Amino acid sequence: AIRVSAGNPGESAQIYSFVNGRLKKGKILSVNEDSRGMAWIRSEGGVTVPGLRVAFPEKRFDHWRETSQGCIYLATNDGELWRLNTGTWKMRRVRLPIRTREILRISGNAGGELVVATDDALLAWHKGRWRVNRFKERIKSVKRLFCDKTGRYWLITDKEGAMLLPGIESGLLTLHTDSDGNYMNRHDSWFFALQPTGTLLMARDG
């Protein structure tokens, strides 16, 4: 169960639980807050947004992202991407440019861009069209998909090194470490810090 506070003086908090029918069933995966201050509660049985009456698909959504274009994206691990227009509150499935078996991570920036990491490609959406960047080999997991302040996307997978997408219209670059090919990304934590000079510092946790 989740206790949701109204935030207004004199108003009592509400309890959201699958027992009282207010919360979708199953283990809670994550809670996200959008730009309106609304809480998005994702559980194994679907999505619950207190105070919002939208008929969400009865699916497990493992990924969530809000863009500046008034849209919220939800993705399942088995390759489905859904978009909710917060102006009309209508939700529909997004047709991806390639057939994919798995969505591993989604990201975006303030310009309305959306980047989707699948098991075999990095998909970039901007100005009404997709760009497909195929991986050299299929990946099993994404540790980090990070957009820095300059709009560059950094992708850390289970493969060696890091991948860089300098811009939506650019090709995907592979950056190797100085470990002579022996280093693999076995840990989930990567840390990024952008310096005033424009230099991006990257550190792994092991």
Side-chain angles (χ1 to χ4, degrees):
I2 290 183
R3 181 176 183 271
V4 179
S5 176
N8 298 320
E11 292 189 22
S12 60
Q14 302 292 319
I15 302 298
Y16 283 78
S17 168
F18 67 86
V19 175
N20 60 24
R22 290 183 171 182
L23 186 67
K24 295 296 177 65
K25 294 183 178 181
K27 178 182 177 181
I28 294 176
L29 306 174
S30 181
V31 179
N32 301 97
E33 183 179 359
D34 65 18
S35 58
R36 291 175 169 81
M38 303 179 74
W40 292 71
I41 308 169
R42 289 182 289 119
S43 58
E44 292 176 326
V47 179
T48 304
V49 183
L52 182 62
R53 294 184 179 180
V54 173
F56 293 105
E58 298 291 329
K59 295 178 176 291
R60 169 177 169 150
F61 289 103
D62 292 87
H63 312 288
W64 179 97
R65 173 64 60 175
E66 180 181 18
T67 72
S68 63
Q69 304 301 311
C71 292
I72 289 176
Y73 292 87
L74 294 160
T76 65
N77 268 352
D78 59 357
E80 291 187 11
L81 180 67
W82 292 74
R83 178 171 58 213
L84 174 69
N85 187 315
T86 56
T88 61
W89 297 112
K90 292 183 178 180
M91 191 170 186
R92 69 180 183 87
R93 185 174 174 181
V94 177
R95 183 176 180 180
L96 296 174
I98 62 172
R99 181 176 296 179
T100 182
R101 295 183 301 180
E102 192 173 7
I103 293 178
L104 301 174
R105 197 70 63 96
I106 59 177
S107 184
N109 67 11
E113 298 173 352
L114 181 73
V115 173
V116 179
T118 74
D119 57 336
D120 59 359
L122 190 67
L123 312 178
W125 168 265
H126 185 55
K127 295 183 179 180
R129 68 186 186 92
W130 288 100
R131 181 182 176 90
V132 179
N133 297 277
R134 293 276 188 179
F135 299 140
K136 293 181 180 180
E137 56 181 319
R138 191 178 299 275
I139 62 176
K140 295 181 179 180
S141 65
V142 170
K143 311 299 183 182
R144 287 290 303 274
L145 178 55
F146 169 76
C147 180
D148 65 28
K149 294 181 180 179
T150 66
R152 298 173 298 186
Y153 291 90
W154 300 84
L155 178 66
I156 309 297
T157 71
D158 58 319
K159 304 302 180 182
E160 179 190 352
M163 299 183 197
L164 168 64
L165 187 67
I168 291 296
E169 300 298 329
S170 305
L172 189 63
L173 306 175
T174 300
L175 309 177
H176 293 282
T177 65
D178 58 359
S179 57
D180 297 326
N182 294 321
Y183 173 72
M184 301 294 285
N185 296 315
R186 294 187 176 90
H187 303 283
D188 292 340
S189 297
W190 268 74
F191 305 96
F192 297 85
L194 186 64
Q195 302 297 296
T197 59
T199 301
L200 182 71
L201 303 179
M202 303 168 58
R204 58 180 186 263
D205 67 352

